[in-house]
Amino acid sequence: ALPICTSDVEYPTDERANGTRLDGLNLIDVWKEKKARDKTVRYVWNRDQLMAAKQEDVDYLLGLFEPAEMLYELERNNKTEPAQFEMVEVAIKILQKNPKGFFLLVEGGRIDHGHHEGKAKQALYEAIEMDKAIELAGKMTKEEDTLTVVTADHSHVFTLGGYTRRGNPIFGLAPDRKS
């Protein structure tokens, strides 16, 4: 979203978090400029800013909480980075202002990352977080005028192989059979 070598607001001293756009565009500024002048536009980058965004004070909200993908739920700093269900809650509150309705896409992309990286525990916890977000969205909307679609662009099998003893924790390493 940021031009090359532009520091990230949350990680200003970490060069790996710097912008990478070669065209010089700051997409945050571009997004703000494209919104109607009579609307309130807000860009947030941490949990406190997101949770402070009140329905009556914001028309358009852009939240970018990490320079790349969000951290896994088990690794995120829950004081500075919002949970998925918190992002869904704020989004629905703001979007409900539109009398014509709204479309909201929520992605649980870190589930897939956990599978690709062989991190079973991370993938499972990400699936639980997605479930919390879906449940909250269901509670905040009306069944009569809401279509909720939960899908995936692909899937992964979740197998537990090997010859571990019964009772072995699935998130740990299998004990040596000799012991």
Side-chain angles (χ1 to χ4, degrees):
L2 298 173
I4 193 162
C5 297
T6 303
S7 298
D8 181 82
V9 291
E10 188 174 6
Y11 306 105
T13 60
D14 185 351
E15 289 184 15
R16 295 171 299 168
N18 285 354
T20 57
R21 293 193 60 84
L22 298 176
D23 59 9
L25 290 175
N26 179 326
L27 294 185
I28 298 164
D29 292 340
V30 170
W31 175 80
K32 288 178 181 179
E33 291 164 7
K34 291 200 178 274
K35 300 303 174 202
R37 297 285 175 224
D38 63 333
K39 300 293 182 182
T40 305
V41 178
R42 185 165 299 151
Y43 158 62
V44 298
W45 56 268
N46 64 45
R47 183 182 181 278
D48 286 345
Q49 293 170 340
L50 176 73
M51 302 313 287
K54 300 300 176 209
Q55 176 182 14
E56 58 276 3
D57 298 333
V58 179
D59 296 305
Y60 295 99
L61 180 69
L62 173 64
L64 300 174
F65 304 103
E66 286 294 326
E69 63 269 337
M70 299 283 287
L71 299 175
Y72 285 109
E73 174 62 22
L74 292 175
E75 296 171 358
R76 79 177 172 90
N77 180 335
N78 60 15
K79 293 190 185 321
T80 60
E81 189 172 301
Q84 189 172 39
F85 76 89
E86 292 173 320
M87 292 182 277
V88 167
E89 179 181 21
V90 173
I92 290 175
K93 284 179 180 177
I94 293 170
L95 291 168
Q96 283 177 330
K97 291 170 42 173
N98 187 338
K100 295 181 181 180
F102 62 89
F103 172 84
L104 174 64
L105 173 79
V106 179
E107 181 183 14
R110 296 300 273 165
I111 300 168
D112 180 57
H113 293 171
H115 284 287
H116 282 286
E117 295 171 10
K119 296 179 176 179
K121 187 173 185 177
Q122 304 293 30
L124 285 171
Y125 272 80
E126 292 300 314
I128 291 167
E129 289 304 305
M130 183 67 167
D131 188 59
K132 287 179 189 177
I134 294 164
E135 181 181 14
L136 179 63
K139 289 178 180 176
M140 292 181 71
T141 56
K142 296 185 205 107
E143 197 171 302
E144 309 82 64
D145 62 6
T146 303
L147 172 64
T148 301
V149 178
V150 180
T151 187
D153 63 349
H154 68 284
S155 65
H156 294 273
V157 295
F158 211 121
T159 59
L160 302 171
Y163 298 99
T164 60
R165 293 185 177 91
R166 181 173 284 164
N168 188 66
I170 65 170
F171 299 133
L173 297 175
D176 185 354
R177 294 285 294 169
K178 296 174 189 162
S179 57

